[in-house]
Amino acid sequence: MGAVRMRVQTIMSLVIHVCHLNRKFTRLPHLAGSQQNLDLAKQIRDEWMEFGLDSVELVPYDVLLSYPNKTNPNYISIVDHLGTEIFNTSLAEPVPEGYEDVTDIVPPYSAFSAKGQPEDELVYVNYGRTEDFFKLERELGINCSGKIVIARYGKIFRGNKVKNAMLAGAKGIVLFSDPADYCADGVEPYPDGWNLPGGGAQRGNVLNLNGAGDPLTPGYPAKEYTYRSSLEDAVGLPKIPVHPIGYHDAVHLLHKVRMNIHTNNQVTRIYNVIGWIRGAVEPDRYVILGGHRDAWVFGGIDPVSGAAVVHENVRAAGKLMKKGWRPRRTLIFASWDAEEFGLLGSTEWAEDHARVLQERAVAYINADSAIEGMYTLRVDCTPSLHTLVYDITKKVSSPEEGEEGMTLYQSWHKRDNSTERDAPWISKLGSGSDFEAYFIRLGIASGRARYTKNRKTERYSSYPVYHSVYETYEIVERFYDPSFRRLEAVARVRGGLIFSLADSPVLPLDCVEYAMSLTKYANSIYQLALKHPAAMQQHSVSFDSLFFAVENFTVVARDFHQRLDQLDTSNALAVRMVNDQLMYLERAFTDPLGLPGRPFYRHIIFAPSSHNKYAGESFPGIYDALFDIENAVDWQKAWDEVKRQISIAAFTVNAAAETLKPVVS
Amino acid sequence: MGAVRMRVQTIMSLVIHVCHLNRKFTRLPHLAGSQQNLDLAKQIRDEWMEFGLDSVELVPYDVLLSYPNKTNPNYISIVDHLGTEIFNTSLAEPVPEGYEDVTDIVPPYSAFSAKGQPEDELVYVNYGRTEDFFKLERELGINCSGKIVIARYGKIFRGNKVKNAMLAGAKGIVLFSDPADYCADGVEPYPDGWNLPGGGAQRGNVLNLNGAGDPLTPGYPAKEYTYRSSLEDAVGLPKIPVHPIGYHDAVHLLHKVRMNIHTNNQVTRIYNVIGWIRGAVEPDRYVILGGHRDAWVFGGIDPVSGAAVVHENVRAAGKLMKKGWRPRRTLIFASWDAEEFGLLGSTEWAEDHARVLQERAVAYINADSAIEGMYTLRVDCTPSLHTLVYDITKKVSSPEEGEEGMTLYQSWHKRDNSTERDAPWISKLGSGSDFEAYFIRLGIASGRARYTKNRKTERYSSYPVYHSVYETYEIVERFYDPSFRRLEAVARVRGGLIFSLADSPVLPLDCVEYAMSLTKYANSIYQLALKHPAAMQQHSVSFDSLFFAVENFTVVARDFHQRLDQLDTSNALAVRMVNDQLMYLERAFTDPLGLPGRPFYRHIIFAPSSHNKYAGESFPGIYDALFDIENAVDWQKAWDEVKRQISIAAFTVNAAAETLKPVVS
C-alpha cells in the first residue's frame, strides 16, 4: 500500500495547467451537434494521443437534439385586446465584450420545447415545484388549466417545472431568472461582477427522461441501425411550448401573452471521445473519469472548468506513463457530448457497453463544472467512497489564501462540517450530470467533486450566469479562481480518486460507510412514515424488515472488513475475489425491474427525486409511495404500495449483504 | 488438462446406485407442501451431509400452492335438461397394486384452477393450441365464447391451452388424455405395460407465469417478510375452472356438462435442500446441479429418476472428497421443491440469490426425469455446451444391450443424428423445468440430458403415465430400465458436465458453437419473415443489421478461441480473466428490459415459446412480432415492432460479441 500511495501522490503533485486550457476551450461555442464541437472532439482526441494514452476513439451516436429555428426566432409577446403584439422579449442576450464577432451563439431557448403559439392569461407559479402547484390549486383555488404559466428558475430542475405545468393542464410555460435567485448580494452583473445581467437568460433542456438517454432509443444505443420510435412515442418530450427569459424582460410580462416557439427536434450526430490506458495487472477492471464537452455557448464554467480537469489528468497520466508507470487497472477517460440535451452522450455509451461495464467497471468519477462558487469543496458520492474522499483531501493543500499549510480536508472540514459526525459534509448523488447512467442505472460506484459556494449563507440558485452567454473564460479568471488554485485542488481530488481506484491492490471502497448511510436513510424514511401514525396502524405498516436488513448489512460489512484485514495480499486470486465483492456491492443495490414507472432508475437506495432531478432521494421507492399519501384516491392501495416498497428495499439490502458474506455457505 | 480429465473420469467411473434410490424415494407421495415432502427434504439433507458435503441447508419459502378440497371433490358431470347429473367423472384413479394402503394420494386436478360450477355446451378444441383456436374461429366459424371447451392433452404445455381457452372467451376447460397421445402402439396399459390405463389422468399446474415464480411475489423471493399481492393481482392464475380426466371418462362427455371445481389456493411453506462443496481454487465460482424433489404422487419417473441422479453424484463427490479431492470451483447441489406448481422452489431461490448468481454462476445443469423413453440420449442445452456434451458422451459407455464396446456418443449418433452436421442432435432449451430462471432470466449457461424415445417414430406425447398415479418405481424397473444402465448413463453425463465445469482450469465453453447456432437462428427467422415479401418491402424491413451482428460475433468468437490457445495457463489472473469472459457470455445475451409483456424472460436469443412453454423459440422477440402478422389490426405498428425487435436482437448479439473482444480498446 505504501508504494501505491507514493504513486498516487506523484500524480497528484504534477503541475496542472487548467489555466491554459480554460482559455483554449472557451473561445468558441461548442453546442452539441455543431461542427465546432466535432472539431473540439478531434482536437481532444489528438492531444490525448500525444499525451500518451494507449488508444483514443471518437464514438458517434445519432440522437434527438433540438435547436431554435434560425429564420423564425422564439419570443414571448404581450398582446393587446386586438391581438397586436405590443411588447416582445429579446431574441438574444447582449454579447459580452471581446465576443462580438463570434457567430453561432445559440439564443436562449428551452431545448425540446414543443412548437406553438399559445395565447392566454399568465399565471405565476413561483418555482413551479410540486408544492407550488399544490398551494395554488388546494389553498388559493387557482386553476392553471388552459393557461400559460410563468415560473422562476431555481430550486428544482427545469424539466420538473415543465412536467408539473403539464400535469396542471397549462398550455405553455415561461421560465425566467429572478434576481432573487440569480444575483448575489453586493455583486455587480457581469462583466463588472459575476451576477447575471438583466439581459441574460438560462438555456437548458426541459425533458423528463428519467434516465432513458436519447428519447427515440430508450434502453439501446442510438446507432445507425437502431430502431427509432416516432416523436409521438418518444420518452420525456414536453407537449407544450416552453421558453426562458431574463429578468429585464420578465418585469414586462403581465396578463395576456403569446408564446412564439418554433424550435425543431432533429436527429443529429454527436461524438464522445474515449481514451484508454491499459491496466498492467487487471486490464479487465475499469476506472472511468468522464465529463462533458458540449456547452450551451462558451461554457467557461459548464463544462470547460471540468473538461480541463479531465484533460490535465490525462496529461499527468501520460507523463507518468513516459516514465514507465502503468496503473494496475484500466483507466478510461471520456469527453461526453450532448450532456446539455439530457445526458445523451454518456447515457448512449453506457447503453452501448452496459454488459462489459456491469462486469468490469470499478468506479465512475464525474467531471462536470469544477467550480460553481468560491467557498469550499462539495462532494456527492456513493457511501463506499466517503473514506477515500477524506483520505485524498488530506493529501491536497487548501487553495484558499491565508490557509497556507492547511490541507484541503482541514479547510473543507472547518467550512462545512457534517451535521452527523466530525467530518466534512458529503451529499448523496442526485442527477443532472453524466454519472446518472453509471450510478443509477448500472450500479457503478460513483462520485463527483467541485468547488462551491457557502450553502448555508449564499441563497442564490446554482451560480448566477449559469447557461447564459456570460459563462466565459474571463468570469473564471477574474472572479471565481484568479490563481486557478481552486481548479487545481478539484483536479487533484478527481485525479486522486481515479488513480487510487485504479492502482490500489485492494479496492479502497468502504462497506461500513455504506452501512452507516443505510442506517441513516432507514431512520429518515421511517420518520417520514411516522407522520401518519393512524394509517400506519390501520394498514399494519411495519419497517421492521428494513431495519433488520440494515442491521444484517451492518454486521456483514464489519465482518467483511475484518476478514479483509487478514487477507494474504500475495495471493492474486484471493485479492481478486475480495475486489470482486467490493466492486459488485454497488451493483447489488440495483434491481432490473427498476423503480415504479422509471425503468431506467434501477438503484433501490438512490434515485433522482421525482420532484427535482437534481436532488438525490434515498429509498426512493418508499419515498414516492408515501408522497402526498393523505390525498391518495385509494388509501388501501396506496398503503399496500408502501408495504411493497418496504419489502423490496429490505430484500435489496439483504441481497447486497449476501454479496459481502463468505462466498460459500 | 490431462489431470483434470483423469479426475473427471474417476468420478464418472464410480458405482452409481440409482436402483436403490429409486425405490426408497418412491414409496410415498411427495407432494409439494406436504409433511412427506418435508421429511424427504430432511432425509436428503442428512444423507448429503453423511456423503461428505461441506454444508447442507434447508431453505424455506412461502409460496402459493393449490390443492383439491378434501371434503368437496372435483369432477365433471353430464347434466340432463333438468340439470340433474346423469354421469360423473371419477374422483380418483384406480390405485396400482401394492400401493392400496397409501394415503394422501392427491386425485387428478389442475393446480391453480379457478373454483366454479359452470354448466354449458362442450366444444372440442383438439389440442387447444393457438392454431386449433384459429381454425375453429376463422375456418369453421365456431365461437367458444361462453362455452366450456374440452382439449386433449399433448403437443403443448397445458397452461397454454388454458390461456388460449380464456382468450377465446371459454368459461371452463376440461383436459383429457386421448389414447392417441398417451398409448404407444402394441403396448399394454400399466401394470402389464407402460401405457396409460383408461382410469389414469394427468395432473399438472395450469399457470401462465412466464418465469415469475410464486404468483404472489413476482421478481422477489417469497420470504416471510415479503409483500404479497392479492389473488386478483397474482401472476398467471387462470380465471376459469380447469379439470383433467382420463380417456374412460372422456368418451362419455358430449354436449352439456357441469364442472364442479373446488380447488383452493393457499400460501404454503416449501423447502429446497441446498448442498455445497467449497471450491479449492475459485470458491466464488459456482457450478450447480439441481432437480426437483416434489412429485404429484410417487414420482417414479418425474422426478425421482432425476433426483436419484443428483443423489448419486453427491455420493460420488463425497467419496472423492474423502480421498482428498476437492473441485477447483464450488459445486452446489439442489433438491428443489414445488417444481410441479410452476418451478417455484428453483425460481424463488434464483430470485433470492440473483446477485451472487449473476456474479458467480458458471453453469446450471438440470436434473429432472432422467428417463422418458428407451431409445437414446436427449440433450437440450445452450450452444456453448455442445462441445462439452459431445466430449463427455464419448467417455460414457452405451447402456444398450448389443452395443457393448460402443460409447454413448456412438450409440446416440447412430440413433439420432443432427440434420445439420455429422453429430448427434442437440435441441434448444425450452422451459417446463427448473433451469428456466437460471437460463432465461439470469443468463447462466444451462443444459439438461435424459434418456428418451425415438422422436421420429414414437408419436405419443411425453410418456404415457406422465403425472398419473402409475408413475411408480416398478414402471421403471420393469419396463423403462430394468438394468438401470440407462439411468446410470444419464447420471454420468450430468455428473460429467458438472465435474468438468467445476474442475477444468479453463472453462469448457465453446463460443464458436454459439456463433454457429446464432447463424442458424438468424437464417431461420429471416426465412419466416420472407413469407411476407410485399410487406417486407413496403415497410423497408431489413435483417442486415442482424446478419452483420452474427458475422461480427462469429469473427470475434473465433479470435477469442485463437487467443485462448495461446493462453499462459500458469498465470492465475490471466486464466481468471478469460474464464470471466466465458462465464459472462451467456449473461450478455440477457436484457434487463425483458421480452415484450414477459419481463422475467430476459434472454434475447432463447425463450419458451409464447404458444407452448415446453418448446424453445430462438430470437423470440422477432418471432412473436411476426406471429400472425397478416391478421394484425395495425400493419404499420406491427411491422414497426418487427423492426424494433430486429434492432434489439442485432444490438444484443453485438454487445455479446464485445464481451469476448480483448478487454481494452
Side-chain angles (χ1 to χ4, degrees), chain B residues 538-570:
Chain B
Q538 189 196 332
H539 298 279
S540 310
V541 179
S542 163
F543 281 73
D544 286 357
S545 62
L546 182 58
F547 283 109
F548 284 133
V550 169
E551 177 57 25
N552 175 35
F553 187 95
T554 304
V555 171
V556 169
R558 268 194 223 120
D559 290 353
F560 177 84
H561 280 282
Q562 267 172 18
R563 287 197 308 280
L564 204 53
D565 290 341
Q566 318 297 320
L567 180 71
D568 172 9
T569 49
S570 69

Side-chain angles (χ1 to χ4, degrees), chain A residues 220 286 353 355 588 591 658 663, chain B residues 220 286 353 355 588 591 663:
Chain A
Y220 303 97
Y286 302 159
H353 304 283
R355 281 134 181 105
D591 184 330
E658 192 198 358
V663 298
Chain B
Y220 303 96
Y286 302 158
H353 304 283
R355 280 135 182 105
D591 184 331
V663 297

Side-chain angles (χ1 to χ4, degrees), chain B residues 4-237:
Chain B
V4 173
R5 271 201 203 116
M6 270 191 49
R7 278 151 50 133
V8 170
Q9 284 195 310
T10 308
I11 288 193
M12 289 172 56
S13 68
L14 279 173
V15 179
I16 292 208
H17 303 267
V18 274
C19 42
H20 302 141
L21 261 166
N22 263 19
R23 181 168 307 204
K24 188 167 74 179
F25 287 171
T26 53
R27 282 199 189 124
L28 295 172
H30 297 297
L31 192 63
S34 68
Q35 182 61 41
Q36 290 103 314
N37 203 32
L38 169 57
D39 293 343
L40 185 56
K42 289 178 179 165
Q43 185 186 342
I44 287 173
R45 176 193 59 192
D46 296 346
E47 294 192 15
W48 286 6
M49 279 309 293
E50 238 170 70
F51 291 163
L53 294 195
D54 293 325
S55 70
V56 189
E57 46 186 346
L58 233 58
V59 184
Y61 297 101
D62 299 316
V63 300
L64 191 71
L65 298 186
S66 156
Y67 302 111
N69 184 324
K70 282 189 179 166
T71 55
N72 200 2
N74 300 328
Y75 62 97
I76 314 291
S77 46
I78 303 179
V79 289
D80 65 15
H81 63 287
L82 298 172
T84 311
E85 299 187 343
I86 55 177
F87 171 81
N88 292 343
T89 60
S90 9
L91 302 183
E93 297 159 298
V95 173
E97 203 187 315
Y99 294 88
E100 295 86 348
D101 299 335
V102 176
T103 53
D104 293 321
I105 295 176
V106 77
Y109 73 117
S110 297
F112 301 102
S113 167
K115 288 176 199 283
Q117 294 180 280
E119 196 177 309
D120 215 296
E121 269 184 77
L122 202 58
V123 179
Y124 175 68
V125 296
N126 199 12
Y127 291 104
R129 294 168 298 189
T130 305
E131 59 265 40
D132 293 324
F133 280 97
F134 280 1
K135 189 171 179 186
L136 279 171
E137 292 163 6
R138 297 177 183 176
E139 293 176 30
L140 306 177
I142 293 172
N143 189 342
C144 299
S145 186
K147 301 286 189 297
I148 295 172
V149 301
I150 180 163
R152 51 174 166 157
Y153 268 125
K155 306 288 184 197
I156 65 168
F157 171 58
R158 70 188 83 76
N160 292 93
K161 299 173 195 266
V162 175
K163 180 183 167 193
N164 290 340
M166 289 197 294
L167 287 173
K171 65 183 181 191
I173 174 168
V174 179
L175 301 167
F176 76 103
S177 302
D178 188 315
D181 304 292
Y182 289 87
C183 292
D185 293 345
V187 176
E188 291 295 309
Y190 189 81
D192 299 319
W194 43 273
N195 269 348
L196 182 69
Q202 184 189 123
R203 295 157 187 77
N205 81 70
V206 289
L207 295 169
N208 280 280
L209 287 177
N210 289 323
D214 173 39
L216 302 184
T217 62
Y220 303 96
K223 297 181 176 251
E224 283 188 278
Y225 70 77
T226 305
Y227 175 81
R228 283 170 174 74
S229 70
S230 65
L231 278 173
E232 293 74 53
D233 295 333
V235 177
L237 300 187

Side-chain angles (χ1 to χ4, degrees), chain A residues 434-452:
Chain A
D434 293 304
F435 58 86
E436 189 195 72
Y438 299 86
F439 186 56
I440 307 286
R441 191 195 296 200
L442 297 180
I444 298 166
S446 297
R448 63 193 310 200
R450 69 255 221 206
Y451 225 75
T452 194

